[in-house]
Amino acid sequence: MDADTKDTITERQARIVEIVSQQGFATIDTLARDFGVSAQSVRRDIIRLDTKGILQRFHGGVGVRETSVRLGYAEKRTVATDAKTRIARKTAELIGEGAVVFLDVGTTVEAVAHALAEKRRLRVFTVSLAAAAILAGRPGIELFVFGGTVRSADGSLVGDVTLSSIARFRFDHAVIGFSGIDQNGELMDYDLEKVAVKEAAIRNAAKTLAVGDSSKFRHPATVRFTTPSHPVTIVTEARPAPRLLEALAAHDLVLADA
């Protein structure tokens, strides 16, 4: 946050930005308790920060914006690297030789691509230019990259061309990234076009492996793409809090080895 931005908001609002930048999301009740003020005061702060485009207001709280405070793609690659490596190894163990695999986008999915590169025989379909670069030329890996519009710095492919192409195939496994989980145990992400791709892959997969480190358990995102009635296997490195664990009861939870 630059000096000009700081000059236009209060000290408490600046502190809220710092907290949300570190955590990804904060509830109104938690912020009110931390600052010793009323929930209504915090709500007014959040409305102002949302209006200025600094943070994004959600029901009951505030989160980072996809295009502003939220971690950039290069920064994400440096976060929770050990956890992502462990998750990737465990995910690769769940995928047998000769399987047909869809790879989504994101830094955790890229870690999975590195782990899958050790397989002797695999057919991989992906909407991630980064994952494709990791697997290109690997012996035994038959690689197919879907067409489409490049969405952002992570090299994700989206749009009607992508969706219609995915609909033609069937996958043994769809490896899907997620950015958050809501209180009902539904996986979430921020981008509608990317979510449409995730949903298309899930519909055409015999099994869905949702990969994400435990920091994703601490906040929701914006758009839901799974429901308890459509169970998936969540691969992560740490068990979520009891309340969330109960909400996730419809899904399978696989913990990566330490």
Side-chain angles (χ1 to χ4, degrees):
M1 186 169 56
D2 57 33
D4 291 339
T5 301
K6 288 183 178 179
D7 289 342
T8 64
I9 62 177
T10 67
E11 182 178 346
R12 185 171 69 218
Q13 289 163 2
R15 180 59 184 144
I16 290 173
V17 174
E18 292 176 6
I19 291 170
V20 174
S21 297
Q22 294 169 2
Q23 299 180 181
F25 184 85
T27 66
I28 290 174
D29 290 342
T30 298
L31 291 171
R33 184 175 64 249
D34 290 347
F35 288 111
V37 298
S38 68
Q40 187 59 37
S41 295
V42 171
R43 190 172 288 108
R44 285 194 293 267
D45 289 334
I46 290 172
I47 290 171
R48 186 175 185 191
L49 293 169
D50 179 79
T51 300
K52 289 182 173 295
I54 300 171
L55 297 178
Q56 185 166 346
R57 183 186 180 193
F58 297 101
H59 177 70
V62 61
V64 289
R65 286 185 178 273
E66 174 76 13
T67 56
S68 58
V69 181
R70 214 157 73 86
L71 285 177
Y73 174 63
E75 293 171 297
K76 288 179 185 177
R77 280 183 156 174
T78 68
V79 175
T81 54
D82 177 66
K84 290 174 184 176
T85 299
R86 289 160 54 194
I87 291 166
R89 285 200 305 261
K90 178 58 70 174
T91 303
E93 289 176 8
L94 299 174
I95 297 173
E97 295 285 353
V100 179
V101 182
F102 172 88
L103 292 183
D104 190 25
V105 298
T107 54
T108 307
V109 177
E110 289 168 29
V112 174
H114 280 292
L116 292 178
E118 304 304 317
K119 296 285 186 181
R120 294 187 298 274
R121 187 167 59 90
L122 213 62
R123 296 184 70 192
V124 177
F125 294 76
T126 188
V127 290
S128 167
L129 296 180
I134 292 165
L135 293 171
R138 293 282 184 167
I141 304 292
E142 183 180 347
L143 179 65
F144 184 96
V145 183
F146 288 108
T149 301
V150 179
R151 176 66 173 174
S152 55
D154 62 3
S156 58
L157 294 158
V158 299
D160 291 342
V161 171
T162 312
L163 296 177
S164 61
S165 297
I166 291 172
R168 298 174 59 192
F169 295 90
R170 178 195 174 278
F171 315 109
D172 295 316
H173 303 277
V175 180
I176 304 294
F178 61 95
S179 296
I181 301 179
D182 75 0
Q183 61 183 1
N184 296 319
E186 299 179 36
L187 302 187
M188 307 184 75
D189 214 293
Y190 289 96
D191 189 300
L192 280 169
E193 287 195 291
K194 292 180 182 179
V195 164
V197 170
K198 295 175 194 293
E199 291 175 331
I202 290 170
R203 283 194 300 270
N204 289 280
K207 188 168 187 177
T208 298
L209 303 173
V211 296
D213 68 84
S214 57
S215 69
K216 308 296 175 63
F217 299 150
R218 295 194 283 272
H219 57 83
T222 311
V223 188
R224 298 178 180 90
F225 66 88
T226 65
T227 67
S229 62
H230 192 134
V232 303
T233 297
I234 300 172
V235 187
T236 189
E237 92 291 358
R239 193 174 297 276
R243 183 175 179 182
L244 181 57
L245 189 61
E246 183 177 350
L248 292 170
H251 304 298
D252 291 328
L253 186 69
V254 175
L255 296 181
D257 301 326

